[in-house]
Amino acid sequence: MIKIKANATQVEISDLLWGSFVEQMGRAIYGGIYDEGHPTADENGYRQDVISAVRALNLPLIRYPGGNFVSGFDWKDSVGENRPVRMNLAWQQLEPNTIGLHEFYDWCEKVGSEVMMAINLGTGTIKDALELVEYCNFGGHSTIADERRKNGKDDPFGFKYWCLGNEMDGIWQICNLPAEEYARKAREVSKLIKIIDPEIKTTLVGSSGPYIPTYPAWEKTVLEEAYDFVDYISLHLYYSVTPDGKDESFLAQYKDLERYIETVRDIVKETKERKKSNHDVYLALDEWNIWKTSNDSSDTKWLVSDVRLENVYDFRDTLLFADMVVTMTNYSDCLKIGCLAQLVNVIAPIMTENGGRMFLQPTYYPFEFACNHLKGNLLSCEYDSPVITAGEEKYQSLHVTACENRSEYAMLLVNNNLTEEFDISLEVPETARKVKICKFMKAALADVNSFDEPEKVIPKELACQKEEGAVTLRIPAASIVMLTLEKGDK
Ligand code: AHR
């Protein structure tokens, strides 16, 4: 029997931790969220089956419009009448600008989320950035703000969260920049847009991942230059296949996320101390997921809505995905924004056919659990389970996070042990009442959902006992358990 003891902490899980990301690329927008001819399309052409699946996630934020796309995006193309069709250089597609700023905002209203707007710091100038923010957030009567009114939006959009570019360290980025140049440009934009709207919070671009050669020197340079002017620094992490092809090594990758967060957290802390600053900068993991294949139809270029990055996630991916969710929650002291990349069709939990069916990938379910239950105050979990060795890496079989909020206790458990099941006893506080959710996900590692078999890998009920002070359950080998308990008075 493995005992898990959950202790109270002062750490609050950010309300912005379970956000997502929609880029103007692939079939994310055209054929994904927007499909005029679809049987469920509403009066504006938005698919209502997709709206329901997104709304169920209660996403606080959706990052938009990129990603790599944003570094070549002229926002003026995407508002008003007579919109131009442009080359999307990042993904070699055509962008008709049918869905632009106003339309995406309207869609976000329908799904109940805020837009986290990204600024073009590639081809875009500082002037373009300032005009975009003035257009979106200024409540007075400047020519640009009145243009917004003319285009149908009287009140400002009031976007609070802004990304200062995207992956500017990457050579693939349109107008990639050295750290010093980027930092100076980003600092000025951040400084000036906060004059336009003092409520704005900005995210400085960190490295596009811990595997890029300029990491972590990039973080040190950009923070040195811009620390007092920004509120978050971004982290991006996608897990791929591992060179040795072993399942244990694949799952062990979440340890990299822990190291990545700790490294950036420490650089932020050192910078703050060196600058003797009173200001806090937090971490924004504003792109994270598993991305194994780039199955682009590479012979189809310069079309509006062709396939890009349509990864199909199997159950093994789902275990690692759940490990990422656990890790993110457990680092809630410094990680305050998260955006799952992406949301529909492009490396996404929600998949659609043009004009046809939709299915939810297995990764949708642990994400949905996080979005709706991993909130409130973090509980730190003490437990001891058999250690798994994968090359140099060692990690516990069980990987657990827990929290408490006003109405419930919630816990997400991953058993990364591919062969051993465990009996578990969870010590629960006096105020824990009846078990509300006790579900598990378990499938063959290669199992996937599809349009023809959409419910092959979904959560199922798990037997568990609630006794005085403890909940007991058996967690199968290679599985995910989601548990909530109602909270009452002492
Ligand atoms: O999410 C897909 C791409 O991954 C984004 O456009 C980019 O920022 C990252 O490299």
Side-chain angles (χ1 to χ4, degrees):
M1 176 80 78
I2 296 177
K3 287 204 167 129
I4 303 183
K5 185 172 181 308
N7 305 308
T9 73
Q10 298 302 314
V11 176
E12 219 178 289
I13 300 171
S14 165
D15 288 341
L16 306 177
L17 193 58
W18 309 116
S20 189
F21 169 38
V22 171
E23 181 161 1
Q24 299 271 165
M25 69 167 289
R27 296 190 313 114
I29 306 262
Y30 308 109
I33 69 173
Y34 175 79
D35 191 347
E36 269 184 306
H38 193 271
T40 72
D42 66 11
E43 66 288 1
N44 303 113
Y46 299 120
R47 285 182 67 144
Q48 295 189 68
D49 54 350
V50 173
I51 288 179
S52 305
V54 175
R55 210 201 312 249
L57 298 171
N58 286 308
L59 300 170
L61 288 179
I62 304 183
R63 185 168 174 255
Y64 173 82
N68 297 338
F69 170 81
V70 80
S71 299
F73 172 58
D74 184 345
W75 69 268
K76 288 180 183 151
D77 293 343
S78 83
V79 299
E81 305 285 318
N82 303 320
R83 301 189 191 171
V85 177
R86 298 283 189 210
M87 291 174 86
N88 170 353
L89 295 185
W91 300 102
Q92 303 184 12
Q93 293 187 285
L94 284 185
E95 177 51 61
N97 285 302
T98 313
I99 299 297
L101 197 48
H102 290 254
E103 293 77 18
F104 191 73
Y105 170 83
D106 291 343
W107 183 78
C108 280
E109 290 269 280
K110 288 175 197 271
V111 299
S113 308
E114 250 182 77
V115 180
M116 183 189 192
M117 198 66 198
I119 294 174
N120 174 358
L121 292 188
T123 59
T125 61
I126 293 183
K127 183 165 173 278
D128 295 330
L130 303 184
E131 288 179 353
L132 169 61
V133 177
E134 182 177 338
Y135 182 89
C136 292
N137 283 22
F138 184 49
H141 282 278
S142 67
T143 304
I144 290 181
D146 284 343
E147 193 66 24
R148 180 195 69 236
R149 293 189 179 91
K150 208 176 86 204
N151 291 334
K153 185 79 175 75
D154 253 353
D155 294 333
F157 291 111
F159 298 142
K160 182 167 178 188
Y161 298 95
W162 292 80
C163 301
L164 301 167
N166 178 70
E167 296 190 347
M168 296 309 300
D169 59 334
I171 190 62
W172 59 87
Q173 201 65 210
I174 299 170
C175 301
N176 144 269
L177 290 173
E180 294 77 7
E181 263 181 64
Y182 164 71
R184 194 107 9 118
K185 192 171 176 185
R187 184 197 67 197
E188 288 308 298
V189 169
S190 193
K191 182 176 88 186
L192 297 169
I193 67 178
K194 287 177 179 213
I195 295 175
I196 298 174
D197 179 355
E199 294 297 307
I200 281 177
K201 302 282 177 206
T202 56
T203 300
L204 187 67
V205 164
S207 293
S208 25
Y211 313 114
I212 193 155
T214 45
Y215 165 82
W218 174 280
E219 275 73 5
K220 292 183 185 156
T221 308
V222 296
L223 282 168
E224 188 58 38
E225 190 69 48
Y227 187 88
D228 283 308
F229 297 87
V230 300
D231 305 284
Y232 303 90
I233 179 161
S234 72
L235 292 80
H236 287 184
L237 190 56
Y238 293 101
Y239 288 130
S240 187
V241 286
T242 44
D244 70 5
K246 291 194 178 136
D247 296 329
E248 288 79 3
S249 312
F250 182 77
L251 298 177
Q253 292 182 95
Y254 81 81
K255 299 299 286 179
D256 274 355
L257 176 55
E258 295 181 353
R259 284 189 286 266
Y260 185 22
I261 293 174
E262 285 171 14
T263 304
V264 181
R265 179 196 63 193
D266 292 349
I267 295 171
V268 169
K269 191 165 171 267
E270 282 158 24
T271 312
K272 179 177 175 170
E273 283 167 6
R274 198 176 43 260
K275 287 182 171 286
K276 299 190 174 57
S277 174
N278 293 322
H279 176 68
D280 285 315
V281 171
Y282 293 104
L283 275 44
L285 182 59
D286 61 15
E287 288 189 30
W288 67 273
N289 204 346
I290 290 147
W291 175 355
K292 295 183 303 186
T293 54
S294 41
N295 61 333
D296 306 350
S297 9
S298 46
D299 46 341
T300 66
K301 280 189 182 163
W302 312 120
L303 300 176
V304 170
S305 168
D306 48 344
V307 172
R308 295 287 184 274
L309 320 183
E310 297 203 6
N311 281 220
V312 174
Y313 295 118
D314 61 21
F315 187 61
R316 190 179 74 144
D317 300 326
T318 310
L319 286 170
L320 176 57
F321 182 97
D323 278 317
M324 293 184 89
V325 168
V326 170
T327 305
M328 288 172 68
T329 319
N330 285 343
Y331 279 90
S332 282
D333 60 331
C334 57
L335 185 61
K336 297 294 183 187
I337 290 183
C339 301
L340 171 65
Q342 297 190 10
L343 190 56
V344 185
N345 288 333
V346 175
I347 41 173
I350 301 169
M351 303 299 286
T352 68
E353 286 174 329
N354 290 340
R357 297 170 292 178
M358 180 188 89
F359 80 88
L360 304 177
Q361 304 237 34
T363 52
Y364 179 90
Y365 299 98
F367 188 58
E368 185 277 326
F369 183 79
C371 292
N372 289 310
H373 302 285
L374 296 181
K375 292 163 177 284
N377 262 68
L378 183 70
L379 299 173
S380 83
C381 295
E382 282 174 49
Y383 55 94
D384 211 355
S385 57
V387 167
I388 299 168
T389 305
E392 307 272 276
E393 208 76 82
K394 290 195 189 320
Y395 56 102
Q396 284 211 45
S397 296
L398 290 185
H399 193 199
V400 181
T401 192
C403 64
E404 97 176 270
N405 55 52
R406 232 172 280 136
S407 61
E408 66 177 16
Y409 293 96
M411 193 172 235
L412 180 65
L413 301 94
V414 186
N415 183 2
N416 287 307
N417 197 308
L418 302 175
T419 51
E420 277 186 71
E421 60 179 16
F422 300 108
D423 286 320
I424 295 179
S425 162
L426 310 167
E427 193 181 285
V428 293
E430 252 180 83
T431 49
R433 299 281 174 269
K434 64 175 194 290
V435 173
K436 281 200 298 183
I437 299 174
C438 187
K439 292 195 172 180
F440 78 118
M441 291 182 77
K442 165 87 194 151
L445 293 183
D447 278 357
V448 298
N449 291 339
S450 63
F451 292 111
D452 292 328
E453 225 180 333
E455 300 207 332
K456 189 164 176 151
V457 191
I458 57 169
K460 304 212 168 88
E461 294 301 322
L462 178 70
C464 71
Q465 246 88 57
K466 159 101 171 45
E467 286 143 16
E468 209 36 51
V471 171
T472 53
L473 55 88
R474 175 167 295 172
I475 186 166
S479 74
I480 299 163
V481 169
M482 306 160 196
L483 178 79
T484 69
L485 293 147
E486 212 171 77
K487 196 170 157 187
D489 299 326
K490 274 211 174 159

